[in-house]
Amino acid sequence: AAKEVDIDEDEATAKKDQPKHDTSSAELDKVTDFAEEKEMSSAGLASAKTALEAAKKQQQAVAEEKARKLAAVVIDKSDVDLLVSELDIPAATAELALRENGGDVVATMRKLIH
């Protein structure tokens, strides 16, 4: 009878240990799922970073093209001086505004006033 009691106690101990094993298995699955999600999001981040870098390069190219076109516009120094004195703006602002308006001082004044 002593042997039977020992076996029953061993089975009871084994049954008590089993739910703990299931719980730790579930916890391990959670950790593994998190690691997989992290890996997938890292790949997503890499592609998003590549897309942002491409967009930034495109914006820089557009800005450089605009700067080249504006630099090609011929403006008079007297027009810049007129805008600076009449509108009390920096010379760089006056020059840029003149270039954006094709060197037309009247159109530039109208745009800056409105």
Side-chain angles (χ1 to χ4, degrees), residues 11-109:
E11 286 177 11
T13 305
K15 287 181 182 178
K16 287 180 186 176
D17 291 341
Q18 192 172 16
K20 289 181 184 176
H21 176 70
D22 291 341
T23 305
S24 61
S25 176
E27 290 174 6
L28 181 61
D29 287 341
K30 288 179 187 177
V31 170
T32 324
D33 290 344
F34 177 75
E36 289 172 0
E37 288 174 12
K38 187 175 180 181
E39 288 174 14
M40 290 175 16
S41 64
S42 294
L45 287 174
S47 67
K49 182 180 176 185
T50 303
L52 285 173
E53 288 171 350
K56 186 177 179 180
K57 285 181 182 179
Q58 183 180 8
Q59 287 176 343
Q60 286 175 341
V62 168
E64 289 172 3
E65 179 64 25
K66 181 179 177 183
R68 275 194 293 273
K69 286 181 180 180
L70 289 176
V73 175
V74 178
I75 58 171
D76 290 333
K77 173 78 170 124
S78 61
D79 291 342
V80 174
D81 292 339
L82 175 69
L83 292 172
V84 168
S85 65
E86 293 298 319
L87 300 177
D88 195 29
I89 58 174
T93 303
E95 185 178 327
L96 178 62
L98 272 169
R99 290 186 189 280
E100 288 174 342
N101 288 289
D104 184 354
V105 71
V106 175
T108 303
M109 270 194 170

Side-chain angles (χ1 to χ4, degrees), residues 1-9:
K3 272 188 169 180
E4 289 177 22
V5 173
D6 290 338
I7 293 172
D8 290 338
E9 287 177 10

